[in-house]
Amino acid sequence: MGEPAGLDACGVRMVDPGKVAAVRAALPPEAEVGGLADVFALLGDPGRLRLLACLLEVGELCVCDLAAACGLSESAVSHGLRLLRAHRVVSVSRRGRMAYYRLDDAHVRMLLETGLAHAGHARDDAAAVPAGAAAAS
């Protein structure tokens, strides 16, 4: 026996074919969507996010200083930076034997700042809910 139709179930195949066609024409190519999904997957790791937050704060750091600032091992920092660099999230400049990492461009900075602002709003909204109010809803 089939499931009863829920509130989200559409009773018709398409309500506004014009809007559907406009949206489909404006969607980015699959390769672009896949690339963006890869970047968001990279940003889904708390360790890599700490690295990026450090770089957002000071601009440029070497592996040793990033490890000390984030509380991660140098090996974990190097691995995280290697992944971030492969996806052009961070870039590196070498001065002698030292390598200094920074956010790759303004788009990465804007993405991080926006994400951190959103996380702050979500945290503030959750703190504003009186105790027991969430259970009552």
Side-chain angles (χ1 to χ4, degrees):
M1 205 178 266
E3 294 279 327
L7 294 176
D8 291 336
C10 290
V12 294
R13 193 78 177 128
M14 196 180 312
V15 174
D16 192 333
K19 282 186 180 178
V20 170
V23 168
R24 290 186 90 161
L27 285 175
E30 284 300 315
E32 242 176 78
V33 171
L36 180 60
D38 289 345
V39 170
F40 279 120
L42 283 170
L43 299 179
D45 176 75
R48 288 190 292 265
L49 275 177
R50 280 197 301 272
L51 294 173
L52 295 171
C54 289
L55 295 175
L56 181 65
E57 185 63 31
V58 298
E60 186 176 75
L61 286 169
C62 68
V63 171
C64 300
D65 289 346
L66 273 168
C70 293
L72 299 170
S73 70
E74 289 179 25
S75 175
V77 169
S78 292
H79 179 70
L81 290 170
R82 188 170 34 257
L83 291 171
L84 293 165
R85 192 168 162 222
H87 286 86
R88 297 188 340 253
V89 175
V90 300
S91 56
V92 63
S93 63
R94 298 193 188 282
R95 289 180 222 134
R97 294 185 49 181
M98 297 297 294
Y100 292 88
Y101 291 85
R102 65 188 165 283
L103 299 178
D104 193 52
D105 61 24
H107 296 111
V108 172
R109 176 175 294 282
M110 185 173 63
L111 181 62
L112 287 169
E113 288 171 342
T114 302
L116 289 168
H118 177 73
H121 290 304
R123 182 184 61 244
D124 294 345
D125 290 348
V129 175
S137 48

